[in-house]
Amino acid sequence: SCLVVGDSFKTNSGWNGTIIKYNSCYSVVVKWQDGSESEHPASNILNGGIKPLFQPSVAGVGFFGDGEFSSKAKKGKKTAPTVVLDYWRRMLTRCFDPKEVIKQTSLNYLNVEVCNEWFNFQNFATWALSQPNWDIKNELDKDLLGTGYLYSPENCTFLPMEINVFLSDSYAREVHDLPKGVQYLQPGTENSKVGYVARCHTGQGREYLGYHNTPEAAFAVYKKAKEAYAKILAERYKGCITTPSYEKLLAFTVEP
């Protein structure tokens, strides 16, 4: 290797580093532009392929960090489960990746934030693996225990897909002045009926709950159906969700 202490370099991803210790060609200590330090083989430094642990590499905000977990097998570290990495990347991408944010399917994530603590994967992984149901059968949810606007340890839990879908139209960002679950029936012809319809996610999919003369009447039907189905889901998945999630579903209410 032609590396010596004091050498400065830039990675392919654009971060500046300085060599502060040379133990061997397999162990070179680098100090990065943010003040953090990490150890790398000299060959990786020379080819510029290093990804600094604290460089934001996911959606401009997320970084892997230095802690208990490694992205691949490494002595003294736990290999981060792929599913947990996927939860983390998907959360950050939905909220901060400009290409994702503008998609129609991402409208529910407008103005949604992620707590600063979870920009560091180490912190997110520690929390996720402390949950009893973090495996691939479930989805990361911010709505049931929280307000729907912040991913954080206090607001999040893992839920089966059916519950996650059920919640999606309860917390959808409204783009009109109607109550949740209510749509205006647009007249197709001059003599067409005008009024309001109610729909909500139940076991039959997005179920049609009838035509109504006023938005208040349509919402009343939606509210009754939604709250009743929440209790059904609570009992169906009682053994698969946390106690706070179960209790929240039992007490689930819908406001206009």
Side-chain angles (χ1 to χ4, degrees), residues 83-132:
V83 63
V84 175
L85 270 167
D86 288 343
Y87 282 134
W88 179 67
R89 290 187 181 119
R90 189 159 57 244
M91 170 185 69
L92 295 176
T93 300
R94 281 172 169 172
C95 296
F96 298 105
D97 187 331
K99 293 179 182 178
E100 287 295 317
V101 171
I102 63 173
K103 290 181 179 178
Q104 186 70 22
T105 52
S106 297
L107 287 179
N108 280 0
Y109 295 91
L110 289 175
N111 302 318
V112 173
E113 298 290 336
V114 177
C115 68
N116 291 345
E117 177 186 346
W118 277 4
F119 290 166
N120 187 334
F121 173 74
Q122 301 292 327
N123 296 329
F124 177 80
T126 298
W127 171 83
L129 293 173
S130 73
Q131 304 303 300

Side-chain angles (χ1 to χ4, degrees), residues 83-84 87 128 131-139 158-159 240:
V83 63
V84 175
Y87 282 134
Q131 304 303 300
N133 56 344
W134 58 266
D135 61 71
I136 198 167
K137 295 179 293 186
N138 294 315
E139 296 187 349
F158 291 103
L159 296 175
C240 307

Side-chain angles (χ1 to χ4, degrees), residues 220-239:
V221 174
Y222 170 82
K223 176 179 172 71
K224 182 178 179 181
K226 197 77 176 172
E227 292 176 357
Y229 197 62
K231 293 176 174 59
I232 292 172
L233 290 175
E235 297 302 337
R236 178 180 298 168
Y237 291 103
K238 185 175 182 179

Side-chain angles (χ1 to χ4, degrees), residues 204-221:
Q204 282 69 51
R206 191 162 173 77
E207 188 176 349
Y208 172 71
L209 300 175
Y211 163 86
H212 306 273
N213 291 320
T214 67
E216 292 78 16
F219 175 72
V221 174

Side-chain angles (χ1 to χ4, degrees), residues 35-109:
S36 63
E37 299 176 10
S38 56
E39 184 180 352
H40 306 274
S43 58
N44 289 0
I45 295 173
L46 290 169
N47 66 30
I50 301 171
K51 285 188 178 179
L53 294 175
F54 291 91
Q55 180 182 10
S57 58
V58 178
V61 295
F63 55 91
F64 199 83
D66 185 21
E68 186 178 1
F69 302 98
S70 173
S71 58
K72 55 187 177 181
K74 190 174 182 180
K75 187 176 180 180
K77 302 274 189 178
K78 294 180 182 178
T79 303
T82 300
V83 63
V84 175
L85 270 167
D86 288 343
Y87 282 134
W88 179 67
R89 290 187 181 119
R90 189 159 57 244
M91 170 185 69
L92 295 176
T93 300
R94 281 172 169 172
C95 296
F96 298 105
D97 187 331
K99 293 179 182 178
E100 287 295 317
V101 171
I102 63 173
K103 290 181 179 178
Q104 186 70 22
T105 52
S106 297
L107 287 179
N108 280 0
Y109 295 91

Side-chain angles (χ1 to χ4, degrees), residues 145-158:
L145 302 183
T147 63
Y149 286 94
L150 178 66
Y151 283 101
S152 70
E154 299 77 22
N155 288 349
C156 289
T157 187
F158 291 103

